[in-house]
Amino acid sequence: EEVEEEEVEEDKLQDRPPVVTFMGHVDHGKTSLLDSFRGSRVVNGEAGGITQHVGAYQVEKNGKAVTFIDTPGHAAFSEMRARGANVTDIVVLVVAADDGLMPTTYEAIDHCRAADVSIIVAINKVDLDRADVNKVKGQLQENDLSPEDWGGSTLCVEVSAKEGTGLDDLFETILLQAEIMELKANSDGPARATIIEARSEAGKGPSAIGIVQSGTMNVGTAFICGNQYGKAKALINDLGERLKTAGPATPVEIVGFSGVPNVGDELIEMDSERKAKKLSSERLDQERREQLSPQKEESKSALETLFANIEEGNKKVLKLIVKADVQGSLQAIENSLSEIESAKISLEIIRKGVGPVTEADGLLATASDAILIGFNTKVESKAQALIKREGVQVKLFSVIYELLDQVKEAMIGELDPETRENIIGHAKVLEVFKLSSGKVGGCMVTDGRLARTARARVIRDGVPVYDGGFSTLRRFKDDVKEVKNGLECGVKLGKFNDYLKDDVIECYELEKLDLEL
Ligand code: GDP
């Protein structure tokens, strides 16, 4: 059961603050500008205050708020986009007036265009004598970002992070752009948020910073988030204050995750934590299955696999993941393994590689029930916990013969035990007794012996009608282990309750045979 897309109820939409990211070439002043806005916030009348890094913060002036994402640069931005998350509404492209457009500026423009976000240009460092605002505007025009005062539509603001000039202007411009964009959200519905940072702290457990996209997040809200789930134990803003609720565009730290979510994951409110947990485990299962399938496609085409299966019938398969120190030994191992012949079981190497046994190997082994084989290599410490938790079989070797022997042993271990039946005696039912516990066959052993620990079948007119172990084997009133040829006894097999005169009791033992491949 997946989460349903919500219908947008137009009439319930309200204006929401814009979410802003700073981009630009290195040293052009992104961090300085972000810091200026951040520092402009007043905490309980005390300038500066104690702020914590929450990846985003909100600035309010004259009752209007702007949310700033505080990781500058387009790497974080495109990483989020790669995960399908588009939290940014407006990009402030920072261009130093003394330097003009530089390689990273062009890259940033490309990213903004690909993401279809609005650009506002902050022409920074206008305090410098070398500052040449017109040159920057000319470069913008050449790149289809014609400044508004030149007849284009790109809003440009001249600022100095150093002297703090133009910052109000930039803030107003962001609000103006937001108004043009008509950014709206419904704060009533179930909460949806995008995760922009996540971590796990001792004593606090996993937490994440999300930006609420719609609805309102409350303390106590149950949610699904990627593969994780949870219930908001606490909501904390970037000033370290505990919030009861967080509405659209609010950046908020959410405490109470089952595990650390991924950046870019969408958090969605659910009715109950129980439902969220169920969905989370479904998603985890799904992920495991997906991790598994591309591997198989790599090794064989569908048709090849089909034919192989037909040829092999119901042959068993032992799956291996092989990691070795170098390519040479990996090939040697593969060659040797391919020479192991068996009509009953085949080997399938579902992943092979050079290097240590990793957590990803452990996951694949868990998902596909494979054995991890390491040759002259170690198990990464991160993988150890998973391997222990999931009970994955890991075998490490430094000698190829030992590796082969153990793989053969493991193959044999996969085979169903083979047994041979040895008939040890027969008895004939002479009379049927009715006891309070049910019917018992009164028998005479006609050859060999009956043994209590052996198995027996009831044969009527040459046809077996029951097969099972002894529940009763008696001589007169005594339970006995064995009854020899020529002696009388009472027999009851399992819960069988339907003995007839002249039935034959055939007693046999199963002998375990040594298995071979
Ligand atoms: P980022 O790499 O884009 O984050 O740039 P920074 O904010 O780290 O700034 C790079 C350098 O430029 C620092 O030494 C800042 O002090 C300086 N800087 C930033 N803004 C201004 C400004 O408006 N005027 C002047 N003169 N220097 C600035």
Side-chain angles (χ1 to χ4, degrees), residues 357 370-374 379 387 391-397:
V357 174
I371 299 179
L372 279 167
I373 304 271
V379 177
I387 284 167
V392 179
Q393 270 199 73
V394 188
K395 292 170 187 279
L396 301 175
F397 304 93

Side-chain angles (χ1 to χ4, degrees), residues 25-32 124-125 127-128 159-162:
H25 197 70
V26 65
D27 276 349
H28 279 200
K30 298 178 294 291
T31 314
S32 306
N124 190 31
K125 305 197 187 183
D127 57 285
L128 294 173
V159 296
S160 165
K162 190 182 172 196

Side-chain angles (χ1 to χ4, degrees), residues 7-157:
E7 275 182 49
V8 179
E9 292 169 271
E10 296 282 346
D11 54 329
K12 286 193 181 166
L13 293 178
Q14 297 144 359
D15 289 339
R16 65 160 175 87
V19 179
V20 176
T21 299
F22 283 72
M23 289 191 194
H25 197 70
V26 65
D27 276 349
H28 279 200
K30 298 178 294 291
T31 314
S32 306
L33 282 170
L34 271 165
D35 286 350
S36 317
F37 280 114
R38 183 198 267 279
S40 71
R41 292 171 310 155
V42 176
V43 191
N44 298 332
E46 186 188 318
I50 310 158
T51 57
Q52 59 169 7
H53 176 75
V54 303
Y57 57 88
Q58 213 170 47
V59 176
E60 220 182 285
K61 274 182 194 168
N62 307 325
K64 297 259 182 187
V66 173
T67 300
F68 292 99
I69 297 214
D70 113 4
T71 341
H74 60 251
F77 177 82
S78 48
E79 156 109 21
M80 294 277 286
R81 283 218 331 122
R83 294 165 182 276
N86 252 339
V87 277
T88 303
D89 303 304
I90 297 169
V91 165
V92 172
L93 187 67
V94 182
V95 183
D98 61 330
D99 216 12
L101 271 64
M102 297 297 280
T104 320
T105 324
Y106 294 113
E107 274 179 37
I109 294 170
D110 291 342
H111 281 285
C112 293
R113 291 204 168 125
D116 210 14
V117 294
S118 302
I119 299 177
I120 292 174
V121 181
I123 302 175
N124 190 31
K125 305 197 187 183
V126 292
D127 57 285
L128 294 173
D129 292 341
R130 301 188 300 278
D132 188 345
V133 173
N134 280 335
K135 187 184 144 201
V136 174
K137 288 188 175 172
Q139 288 176 322
L140 290 171
Q141 186 155 43
E142 283 165 26
N143 286 280
D144 290 328
L145 289 171
S146 287
E148 211 191 18
D149 54 341
W150 285 25
S153 60
T154 305
L155 300 173
C156 296
V157 189

